[in-house]
Amino acid sequence: MKKSDLLALKFGELVLNKRWWVIALTLIIVTLATMGGERLVFNNDYRAFFNGDNPELLAFEHMENTYSGRDENVFIVLAPKNGNIFTRENLAAVEKYTKAAWQTPHSTRVDSITNFQNSHANGDELIVEELVKDAASLSDAEIENIRKTALAEPLLVKRVISEKGHVAAINVTIQLPGIDPVAEEPAVVKFSRDLAAQIRKENPDMQVHLTGMVMLNAAFGEAAEHDMSTLMPLTFLAFLVSIVLLTRGWTSAFASFWLITFSIMAAMGIAGWFRIDLTSISSSAPTMILTLAIANTVHVLVIFINYMRKGYDKHNAMLESIRSNWYAIAIVNITTALGFFQMNFSESPVFRDLGNIVGIGVMFSFVLSLTFLPALMMVLPMKKPALRAENEADSMESLAEFVIKHNNKLFWGVGGLCVFLAAFVAKNDLNDEWIQYFGEDMEFRQATDFTTENLTGAYRVDYSLNAKEADGISDPEFLRKVQAFTDWYKQQPEVVQVNALTDIITRLNKNMHGDAPEYLTIPENRELSAQYLLLYEMSLPYGLDLNNQINMDKSATRVTVVTKNLPVKQTLALEERAQAWLSANAPEIRSAGTGSTIMFAHIGVRNIESMLWGSVFGLVIISGILIYAFRSFKIGFLSLIPNLIPSIMGFGLWGLLVGEVGLGLATVAGVTMGIVVDDTVHFLNKYLHGRRDMGLGSEDSIRYAFSSMGTAMWFTTFILVAGFAVLAFSSFKLNGDMGLLTAIILIFALIGDFFLLPPLLMKFDRAPATAKQSQPIENVELDLTTGISIEPAKF
């Protein structure tokens, strides 16, 4: 017996003989790790998706600092059932709740049609006043005048009032201090929802919807909480019932429960020690750890139960399970963990966090499956399973005969299916829309969809156009270039609304010329523009100044472009056209677009590029591990085929049925590469034992591999597919798509291991059987590292 095999047996004996010490040590380590959980903080901020040095994030933060500072918003959408905002009752409601919205915690500005600072001429005097005052007392003629003014004002239409006047909005600007992030934003959300509830109660004939960036951040957290409170318990219960059915006893399910629980607790605790924030992405880590940890327990428990059915006592059955499983389980878990750790190539921190948490959990489950699980099974009462009859049929043996008989057909059939699906991989198009990250059952998604269909867009791009001198924004030449740029943007089919200083300047010029329509133009000289702007600013009330559009020294102005809901490629194409226009027509004021829309568009592209490199790195490392593990370049190379084609087939099927990939799916290829190795390693582990240690031919070794590991392979695949498929029901689309595509790839992986790998071995591993073939299969057990046959004695 080789040294490595002796060490495995000694290790197993130590674990089983010192089982109470192993259990106690496990409890101590898990407790210490779990103590870090109190440091876990949930980060709802969408900026968590971006590195601190992300160029688009830095540009966005510079934009915010240039103007009114970091500002988020709550967008309160009001839709009266009579379809007309311009009635006394509805205008009075908008007026009332505009004033109430000023009480929102951390609010710095409130905008609506009622408090819009309308300017008009009264002789030589410029009058600046709220568009609506004391709505309840307005005459029909006054309401009609307000309607005409509002629907003609470019700063209002498709911003806080719909073109048809049937929907209005109150925009509340929020500046969070950042002193207590955990409490600040929830306070804003609670107040806003309470206000919405008040509006509905007092106005039963009015729909109220809440959207905006603050509600977006809240939706990230709520999606994660929903998944953790529903999907994970459901998955846990389903897996434990499956373990009971597989092992025909509750003892195994009880032990599995604690192994999984401790793996999750330890991983999340260590995440806390390392100050990893929980996000809508990383919150799926417990479900993934649960799914992957159960696979380890299945392999250990299936072999353990099989040996007991052969007549072994509890101690020696577990000892043989440890000996025959430890090497394959080690390889499988190392490659799986590598698959998740390679997510550190991701451009987005939230995916790196997910990969690190799951990778830690996988390694914990690996250690516990060979220490804590065997030790706990020894101390738990267990009904001895019925002995297996010598002539008892095994469905896996029948499957082996089918595969051997039809190996050529299966080789070309599976290969042809792979080629067919591979043709559709290119059909996948980068098409991320961050609004669609949320399920249609979520309140935020419903509110945002209603808003985009009836009022304005949810996506916006900001530009800071610089005149390059103090007070330069009053220069007519600069203003004409800004106006030309905004006019060009208004003509683009993707654009909903453009908000620019030039709309105010032209209106003021018209006001100062007796409201004559022909003067709705840029003033002819700089002094007039500066005077008009100063006069207007001095007339504005507190909180409604122009600091959100003009910087401190009046050298730059902000242009905000609101677009339809656009996929990534269209967003980037629109920005590319805008830059081309600026380069050709106004190169001296050229500025890159910024904002959350641009940030998410670029991160999607970059994440795919970075994860491609991560997948290549993972492939090289995993290939090296497999070649080393199997002590054969040929077998290692052959093992890569059923491990690579599942991703190709999965993405091909996705291209055929869906055709869109986004931020989350960029990580799937690398992650699944580590997971699909599981069944391949276990199958080849048994196959090589049959070839090298038992002297079997290729066909008999395949029969042995099916008989030994077939049940565990399909069951672990079922567990993995079920676990990741559950994520498809996530209310957060990134997690849902990632889980669904992973499940699809795992199904193709099992098809590859059952129906492609054996034909490959029969075609490329044709060495004849040796004299050792006469040894009975059931009398020999395997360890890939030993290179010898071991004949265990029954006890």
Side-chain angles (χ1 to χ4, degrees), residues 376-409:
L376 186 58
M377 288 296 294
M378 290 300 100
V379 302
L380 293 174
M382 178 181 176
K383 183 180 178 180
K384 189 171 184 179
L387 296 178
R388 178 176 177 177
E390 292 185 8
N391 61 348
E392 183 177 340
D394 189 330
S395 60
M396 287 297 117
E397 294 174 2
S398 300
L399 179 61
E401 295 301 330
F402 172 82
V403 171
I404 291 169
K405 181 179 179 180
H406 301 285
N407 72 89
N408 200 51
K409 294 178 181 177

Side-chain angles (χ1 to χ4, degrees), residues 24-25 61 171 242 274 348 469 503 630 643 648 722:
L25 184 61
E61 291 176 340
N171 186 52
S242 300
F274 281 94
S348 179
E469 61 173 324
D503 290 320
F630 298 129
N643 291 330
I648 297 172

